[in-house]
Amino acid sequence: MSTTVTPTISITDVPSNVTVLAQTPQLIALYTIIRDVNTPRADFVFYSNRIIRLLVEEGLNHLPTQSHDVTTPTDLTYQGLKFEGKICGVSIMRAGESMEQGLRDCCRSVRIGKILIQRDEETTQAKLFYEKLPTDINDRYVLLLDPMLATGGSVIMAVEVLINKGVPAERILFLNLISSPEGIALFAKRFPQIKVITGFIDEGLNDEKFVVPGLGDFGDRYYCI
Ligand code: PRP
């Protein structure tokens, strides 16, 4: 038996620090492929990567810029812009590593740090195992990468690691493919200064704290199944 679900959070109710990608037919078609239980891994990877690219492009729109004039080959001045500060990526392993290439494709030779946080499958509580971050991370804007936001435990722990390293919360942007309304609400309340760019806010969490309808275990589908 199958049931259909509709999001329980309307686009107008999302917290002000959260940006949801424009729900275009193209985006919905991409999500339809990666949500389909019958999609083979090669297609899951390809179409997830397309959404990741859209998230990164949108995330870059939220970084501060400053005026930057250049002279064109017609010897005229073009009054343009350039990014104001240095950036880096930080992926929450393992699934977040899938988003690194999308960031690299947009930001050549970008520095990338890693934080290994795993949800305990029995308790669903997040646990920190490892972190390796750029030494000057406190001087950078950080694009935090993890495709799924369920309870919010993992990303909250990752942000605490970054703040302990001296990164101001205002300089962190969290990019993810699918959020639960519960996770979004908890994260936005805890860190109202942090911008979240998400592709879709789903119906909610099931008893095992998986996002539903979701797409299953992103890390397994991207790397293993
Ligand atoms: C998944 C996902 C997030 C986390 C979300 O990772 O990639 O990191 O769960 O759940 P939360 O919001 O309730 O913390 P998981 O721990 O399954 O590890 P994986 O990256 O190896 O798949």
Side-chain angles (χ1 to χ4, degrees), residues 41 44 94-96 98 147-148 215-225:
R41 194 171 68 87
F44 183 85
R94 148 196 71 159
S98 66
M148 303 299 286
L215 47 68
D217 186 315
F218 188 97
D220 281 354
R221 294 194 67 190
Y222 197 95
Y223 291 113
C224 302
I225 297 175

Side-chain angles (χ1 to χ4, degrees), residues 64-102:
T65 53
Q66 61 189 42
S67 300
H68 183 61
D69 293 354
V70 292
T71 305
T72 73
T74 58
D75 205 25
L76 290 172
T77 300
Y78 174 75
Q79 296 178 324
L81 294 174
K82 68 176 181 182
F83 286 116
E84 199 175 275
K86 296 182 288 184
I87 69 160
C88 71
V90 170
S91 62
I92 303 179
M93 297 162 70
R94 148 196 71 159
E97 293 175 289
S98 66
M99 301 174 74
E100 293 177 0
Q101 190 58 47

Side-chain angles (χ1 to χ4, degrees), residues 36-220:
D36 186 343
V37 68
N38 293 314
T39 295
R41 194 171 68 87
D43 286 344
F44 183 85
V45 169
F46 181 84
Y47 292 103
S48 295
N49 287 346
R50 288 205 44 206
I51 298 172
I52 289 164
R53 176 66 181 250
L54 296 172
L55 286 166
V56 171
E57 298 278 9
E58 178 58 28
L60 296 176
N61 283 333
H62 292 262
L63 293 174
T65 53
Q66 61 189 42
S67 300
H68 183 61
D69 293 354
V70 292
T71 305
T72 73
T74 58
D75 205 25
L76 290 172
T77 300
Y78 174 75
Q79 296 178 324
L81 294 174
K82 68 176 181 182
F83 286 116
E84 199 175 275
K86 296 182 288 184
I87 69 160
C88 71
V90 170
S91 62
I92 303 179
M93 297 162 70
R94 148 196 71 159
E97 293 175 289
S98 66
M99 301 174 74
E100 293 177 0
Q101 190 58 47
L103 179 59
R104 282 201 189 93
D105 289 344
C106 296
C107 307
R108 200 164 34 140
S109 76
V110 63
R111 292 176 194 203
I112 293 184
K114 312 238 183 196
I115 298 177
L116 176 54
I117 292 171
Q118 297 275 284
R119 277 198 342 172
D120 184 303
E121 289 190 5
E122 305 245 307
T123 65
T124 73
Q125 296 297 306
K127 190 171 172 205
L128 173 67
F129 289 91
Y130 167 88
E131 40 98 349
K132 196 80 178 174
L133 301 166
T135 50
D136 61 349
I137 194 165
N138 58 330
D139 200 25
R140 293 177 179 271
Y141 288 87
V142 178
L143 282 85
L144 184 58
L145 311 172
D146 192 347
M148 303 299 286
L149 171 60
T151 65
S154 302
V155 68
I156 287 173
M157 189 170 278
V159 167
E160 284 167 351
V161 170
L162 296 176
I163 288 175
N164 283 338
K165 292 284 178 188
V167 181
E170 306 72 45
R171 291 228 204 115
I172 300 171
L173 263 89
F174 174 44
L175 309 186
N176 78 83
L177 278 83
I178 297 183
S179 302
S180 74
E182 297 92 327
I184 279 279
L186 181 69
F187 188 75
K189 190 166 167 213
R190 180 78 188 271
F191 298 113
Q193 325 88 311
I194 297 182
K195 288 185 177 167
V196 179
I197 317 293
T198 188
F200 205 96
I201 300 177
D202 262 16
E203 184 199 7
L205 297 174
N206 66 12
D207 291 344
E208 295 164 301
K209 306 293 183 196
F210 266 88
V211 184
V212 289
L215 47 68
D217 186 315
F218 188 97
D220 281 354

